[in-house]
Amino acid sequence: MVESKEVEKGGGKKNDVKDSKKKKDEEMGELSPEDLEKKEQLEMLVERSQDPDPVIQKQALETIRSEIRSATASMTSVPKPLKFLRPLYPKMKEFFFEKFFEMPDSENQVFMADVLSVLAMTMADENSTESLDFKLMGSNDAPQTWGHEYVRHLCSEIRREYARSMDELDPALMGLVKEIVPFLMSSNAEPEACDLLMEVCW
């Protein structure tokens, strides 16, 4: 009887592992060979972005940035690079605050902040302002270089930040608004531009 119970118990654990793997596979979806290769490449790049050698870090981060930009240029659904990088967001964020946060003005810190800002769009809590926070720590690249959906997400976080502070936005945020509004106006998104200006009391 004991042996029978042990076998059942062991089988249960085995089934749990299988079920967990199956669930993970279902969430990710069945990957084509090309997608699997891209996923593994991005995972490798994330590992290299945390390499002790700053040169290797920079090369990896530049490649990740390029992959995300290409994918988010015309974003109608969650692009595959973002989909594959989402599970790595907590690890990247932890590394950022442990290693880069104490090195202001580091080029690699800026590059990783750019990546985290875009990933936060699909990973952060609904009421957070993580995309905005990382954007302000990132490069001076125009927000629209990461796609229209990213700009719209930043708008919502800017409004959320203003609602929390109930005060004038700081100069960095106002500078961001000045960049975003002309882009929205030129993209036939005048109502969004007007809403943003009205909500931050321009």
Side-chain angles (χ1 to χ4, degrees):
M1 288 293 290
V2 173
E3 289 179 359
S4 176
K5 286 183 179 179
E6 286 177 350
V7 170
E8 289 175 6
K9 188 176 179 182
K13 287 183 178 178
K14 199 170 184 180
N15 288 336
D16 288 344
V17 172
K18 285 182 179 179
D19 290 344
S20 176
K21 185 178 185 300
K22 183 179 179 182
K23 184 178 179 182
K24 186 175 180 182
D25 290 342
E26 288 174 350
E27 288 175 354
M28 184 60 70
E30 189 173 348
L31 299 179
S32 67
E34 293 79 9
D35 287 346
L36 184 59
E37 182 180 358
K38 177 62 66 179
K39 177 176 178 290
E40 291 173 347
Q41 178 195 19
L42 288 166
E43 289 171 347
M44 178 194 66
L45 288 169
V46 170
E47 289 295 326
R48 289 184 177 177
S49 73
Q50 299 175 24
D51 193 276
D53 186 340
V55 175
I56 294 175
Q57 284 181 3
K58 183 179 179 181
Q59 291 172 343
L61 289 166
E62 285 179 333
T63 305
I64 294 172
R65 276 165 36 106
S66 177
E67 289 281 348
I68 293 176
R69 274 186 173 165
S70 298
T72 56
S74 57
M75 186 170 164
T76 54
S77 59
V78 179
K80 287 177 181 176
L82 293 190
K83 184 178 180 181
F84 299 152
L85 287 168
R86 275 194 304 196
L88 303 172
Y89 176 73
K91 179 181 179 181
M92 295 178 71
K93 187 167 71 167
E94 180 182 2
F95 180 82
F96 179 88
F97 286 112
E98 284 185 357
K99 302 296 182 182
F100 285 154
F101 200 62
E102 296 178 358
M103 297 187 296
D105 302 324
S106 160
E107 191 173 28
N108 290 347
Q109 179 206 40
V110 168
F111 286 170
M112 184 168 276
D114 282 347
V115 171
L116 289 170
S117 179
V118 182
L119 290 180
M121 178 171 58
T122 60
M123 278 299 299
D125 294 337
E126 186 178 342
N127 294 319
S128 80
T129 56
E130 285 192 10
S131 281
L132 178 61
D133 295 339
F134 281 120
K135 170 58 184 168
L136 295 175
M137 290 187 276
S139 68
N140 292 323
D141 294 353
Q144 60 265 30
T145 59
W146 301 99
H148 196 142
E149 192 61 33
Y150 175 70
V151 173
R152 292 180 63 191
H153 189 81
L154 281 182
C155 287
S156 66
E157 292 200 0
I158 290 172
R159 290 194 292 267
R160 194 174 301 135
E161 178 65 25
Y162 181 78
R164 285 177 183 171
S165 64
M166 295 303 292
D167 200 352
E168 291 185 3
L169 295 176
D170 65 43
L173 280 177
M174 292 310 295
L176 198 54
V177 170
K178 288 179 180 179
E179 283 189 89
I180 288 173
V181 169
F183 169 72
L184 292 175
M185 296 293 287
S186 66
S187 304
N188 299 316
E190 292 90 347
E192 292 179 55
C194 292
D195 286 346
L196 178 62
L197 290 175
M198 289 173 66
E199 290 194 43
V200 299
C201 300
W202 187 267

